[in-house]
Amino acid sequence: MNYKCQRERICRKYEKLVKKNRLFKVLIIIYFMSATIIFLRPSQNINVLEYISINSEAQLSQFITWYADTIKYEAESNENVDFGVGQDVLKCEISHLKYGVYILEVEYLTSYHSAEGGSPICNLSFSGEIWGKSWLDSAYLHDYKSRNEMPFWIRSWAGVDNITLHCNFTGSGVCEIKSLNIREYQPWKIGFLLIEALVLFGGCFCYYKFQKAKWQKKLEWMLAALIIILASYPALIGNTQAYIGHDYEYHIRRIATIANELRYGKFPVMYQSDASNGFGYISHLLYGNIILYFPAILHLLGLPLTSSYNIFIILVNIITYVIAWYCSLKIFKEAKYAHFGAGLYLLAAYRLTNVYIRSAVGEYLAMAFLPLAFYGIYKIIYADYSVRFRDTFPLILGVTGIIECHILSTEMAALFISVIFVLHWKAVKRHFAILFKALLCVLGLNAFFLVPFIETYQADLMVNATATSANISGFGVYLPQLFNLFLSGINWAQWDSTRDTMSLSIGGPLIIGAILFLIVCIGKGAGTFSKDEKKSIGEQ
């Protein structure tokens, strides 16, 4: 009876909410109308081989033969023929493509004796009225595959007219194109509706929460939003263009290959078969891939890789701010200090350098979990009450996040935690049993990654070579660089002086914030808490 009454009360509450909030009802109508329009729209599928034609003006067209719905390019080295320049041999005129995501599918067999610049003997590309209206790239027919799928995006709501698909050949060898199709990629509709729901209803929820909040809360939320927007500005304005840093190409390929393996039906992704020109790569042995599933799934749902990466950066900034704010609030007990600390951490010069200049995905992901690990240590060491196992959850989650993101950050965090534990050995001794359980829990949660990593690292790899260690040691910073308040950073590093190098300092805002924090602590008599105050802090 109580359960029935409670259920009826909840139903009446939400019924009243829907009746009162007209904006919510309007958004529901808009959402279902857009879903209906998208899913009722007929799909476009084009068999390109039915409409393709040979460009007789191209010199290499003499090596094209057509039989049994298969196009064959077969060329031997010839002094009278220039194989060094790619030539547009085959064309297909496409009258119109609607807004959406498409897949260019090609089944082929190829082998080549020579190819200019190491490129394959054939690649497919588009031209026409596509500038600013689409996002696409060239598809290369490498000899280590027999099938290729290239996604491309038509961004114009009106669609694109008069575009041309080109088959460009270069070098000598053999290439047989058995099928060539353009089909609409249906999962983009699901991705579009998910993002639309997030924007519409997330915005509606925030609007109503903002309306009901007190003015202090409104100021806090506005401040948090402003800080996150400032930290995410390059990603917000990127659209289908990403801010390319030092390691961008490597990590974007990781995301692309994870997406491909998921498309092939392989989960979890332990091996990237498309990486390294078909030789494959196991980045999972050195980098945790768990968090990269998010941008990979966005890519599978129809977003360009660059857009998926930009959304990923924005999400990481939000998560970093929320974790830093939560940990600061638990430690300092005041919302203004929490937002101040989270803002300083999010906008720290070194962190922003990792995000945009270095594109150090693993490191800036690990930095999101560092405050959680620090708070977990603080919560245990400064507790005057009987610590329970659940009190170690922040430490377990924080350390697990760091391990799964970046091994070097794990090593530095382990060194830092060890120093803290030595300095507070009495507290560690008092809570040793709980800390040991937490350690076992961390090792158990990360065993699937740590065991293969340790086994691989013991092998005779280049990463263990003396030359590699000497090279890494040359990428340190001078002491003045570490504490510089202001310095000009460029998109690449020059290591011969302290001027015009990467912003590898702690950062002016963080240094100023630390100084102000010390002043506030001294002014408030930090370190002179009574036993009851310490107990209250530990319980909260």
Side-chain angles (χ1 to χ4, degrees):
M1 185 68 181
N2 291 335
Y3 171 76
K4 185 177 179 181
C5 294
Q6 186 178 5
R7 188 180 61 179
E8 289 177 355
R9 187 163 59 251
I10 293 172
C11 290
R12 284 197 300 270
K13 180 181 178 181
Y14 280 98
E15 220 176 281
K16 184 179 178 182
L17 181 69
V18 172
K19 288 181 180 178
K20 182 180 178 181
N21 300 319
R22 296 180 181 179
L23 176 62
F24 181 77
K25 291 187 285 186
V26 171
L27 293 180
I28 286 285
I29 295 171
I30 293 173
Y31 183 75
F32 280 103
M33 284 180 62
S34 62
T36 303
I37 292 170
I38 288 175
F39 279 103
L40 290 181
R41 192 187 80 172
S43 300
Q44 283 187 279
N45 297 286
I46 302 171
N47 184 356
V48 176
L49 292 182
E50 293 182 2
Y51 306 99
I52 205 165
S53 60
I54 299 176
N55 180 15
S56 58
E57 297 180 1
Q59 189 181 22
L60 297 183
S61 63
Q62 60 182 302
F63 303 111
I64 295 290
T65 57
W66 201 321
Y67 64 95
D69 297 327
T70 299
I71 297 173
K72 186 174 183 180
Y73 171 86
E74 188 172 12
E76 296 291 337
S77 298
N78 190 327
E79 294 181 357
N80 299 322
V81 178
D82 184 9
F83 290 103
V85 180
Q87 298 182 28
D88 182 13
V89 178
L90 301 172
K91 294 182 179 180
C92 177
E93 305 289 340
I94 302 171
S95 59
H96 181 76
L97 284 177
K98 300 176 183 177
Y99 172 87
V101 182
Y102 297 84
I103 296 288
L104 177 63
E105 293 179 323
V106 55
E107 292 185 10
Y108 65 95
L109 287 175
T110 183
S111 62
Y112 39 89
H113 309 302
S114 64
E116 187 68 17
S119 63
I121 198 169
C122 179
N123 69 79
L124 310 175
S125 60
F126 289 93
S127 68
E129 299 178 5
I130 58 174
W131 181 255
K133 296 182 179 180
S134 63
W135 191 94
L136 45 85
D137 202 353
S138 297
Y140 296 94
L141 307 189
H142 294 281
D143 60 348
Y144 59 81
K145 297 178 68 175
S146 60
R147 180 182 178 85
N148 197 356
E149 294 184 355
M150 184 191 78
F152 63 97
W153 291 261
I154 305 299
R155 299 187 299 175
S156 172
W157 290 103
V160 175
D161 298 317
N162 304 321
I163 64 174
T164 305
L165 174 64
H166 303 270
C167 294
N168 308 291
F169 290 89
T170 182
S172 60
V174 179
C175 180
E176 293 184 30
I177 300 178
K178 298 181 176 181
S179 69
L180 186 58
N181 300 288
I182 294 175
R183 65 174 175 85
E184 191 168 2
Y185 184 64
Q186 297 300 323
W188 81 266
K189 299 177 180 179
I190 300 173
F192 179 87
L193 292 174
L194 286 174
I195 294 174
E196 184 185 20
L198 181 64
V199 172
L200 291 180
F201 301 117
C204 181
F205 175 79
C206 292
Y207 171 75
Y208 285 122
K209 291 292 288 184
F210 188 80
Q211 265 193 334
K212 296 177 181 179
K214 297 179 180 179
W215 68 270
Q216 293 98 332
K217 282 290 182 185
K218 290 181 179 180
L219 287 176
E220 290 176 14
W221 292 348
M222 290 171 63
L223 175 64
L226 178 62
I227 293 172
I228 293 171
I229 290 171
L230 285 174
S232 308
Y233 182 72
L236 286 168
I237 64 174
N239 197 2
T240 54
Q241 295 181 348
Y243 198 94
I244 299 176
H246 301 168
D247 298 337
Y248 171 80
E249 293 295 336
Y250 172 73
H251 292 298
I252 205 71
R253 288 194 190 103
R254 287 177 64 203
I255 296 171
T257 51
I258 290 172
N260 287 340
E261 295 303 315
L262 291 175
R263 187 183 288 115
Y264 302 153
K266 298 177 182 177
F267 179 84
V269 177
M270 306 300 291
Y271 175 73
Q272 291 108 303
S273 59
D274 287 339
S276 302
N277 289 332
F279 288 96
Y281 190 67
I282 313 178
S283 65
H284 180 71
L285 293 176
L286 300 176
Y287 283 96
N289 286 340
I290 291 177
I291 300 181
L292 291 186
Y293 279 83
F294 175 74
I297 291 172
L298 288 180
H299 182 52
L300 284 178
L301 290 175
L303 270 71
L305 272 173
T306 47
S307 298
S308 302
Y309 183 72
N310 284 333
I311 294 174
F312 176 66
I313 287 177
I314 295 168
L315 181 66
V316 170
N317 285 337
I318 293 172
I319 292 173
T320 302
Y321 187 91
V322 171
I323 291 177
W325 168 82
Y326 171 80
C327 297
S328 300
L329 183 64
K330 288 295 184 179
I331 293 173
F332 301 118
K333 310 303 177 187
E334 290 193 39
K336 57 183 179 181
Y337 295 150
H339 287 290
F340 186 69
L344 287 175
Y345 189 70
L346 192 69
L347 298 175
Y350 181 72
R351 184 188 169 279
L352 294 179
T353 297
N354 280 340
V355 176
Y356 296 112
I357 295 179
R358 295 183 58 223
S359 293
V361 172
E363 192 165 352
Y364 69 67
L365 281 175
M367 290 184 74
F369 295 96
L370 278 174
L372 196 60
F374 178 79
Y375 167 62
I377 297 169
Y378 172 87
K379 187 174 184 180
I380 295 170
I381 288 179
Y382 291 98
D384 282 342
Y385 58 94
S386 179
V387 176
R388 294 159 293 182
F389 179 69
R390 67 180 184 183
D391 294 321
T392 64
F393 286 176
L395 179 60
I396 293 171
L397 294 176
V399 173
T400 296
I402 297 170
I403 291 173
E404 293 300 326
C405 295
H406 196 235
I407 288 297
L408 289 177
S409 296
T410 302
E411 294 177 359
M412 291 185 286
L415 179 62
F416 173 78
I417 292 173
S418 300
V419 171
I420 294 296
F421 280 175
V422 169
L423 294 176
H424 296 82
W425 63 273
K426 289 184 179 179
V428 173
K429 183 179 178 181
R430 187 168 62 252
H431 306 303
F432 179 79
I434 295 294
L435 288 171
F436 185 72
K437 290 180 182 178
L439 175 62
L440 293 179
C441 190
V442 168
L443 294 176
L445 287 173
N446 299 279
F448 74 97
F449 170 70
L450 289 176
V451 173
F453 168 77
I454 294 171
E455 185 178 351
T456 303
Y457 199 81
Q458 289 175 342
D460 186 17
L461 301 175
M462 183 63 184
V463 71
N464 295 324
T466 305
T468 304
S469 302
N471 185 41
I472 291 174
S473 65
F475 282 75
V477 294
Y478 299 105
L479 188 61
Q481 284 179 290
L482 187 62
F483 297 104
N484 271 347
L485 291 178
F486 308 101
L487 54 92
S488 58
I490 57 176
N491 196 42
W492 192 250
Q494 298 175 1
W495 302 103
D496 55 349
S497 68
T498 60
R499 185 177 179 181
D500 292 332
T501 61
M502 286 195 300
S503 302
L504 296 178
S505 70
I506 295 175
L510 200 60
I511 294 174
I512 295 171
I515 294 172
L516 292 175
F517 171 73
L518 289 175
I519 294 173
V520 170
C521 287
I522 293 170
K524 284 197 167 187
T528 59
F529 295 111
S530 66
K531 187 174 181 179
D532 292 338
E533 288 173 331
K534 289 181 179 180
K535 186 176 180 180
S536 175
I537 290 173
E539 290 175 349
Q540 295 181 24

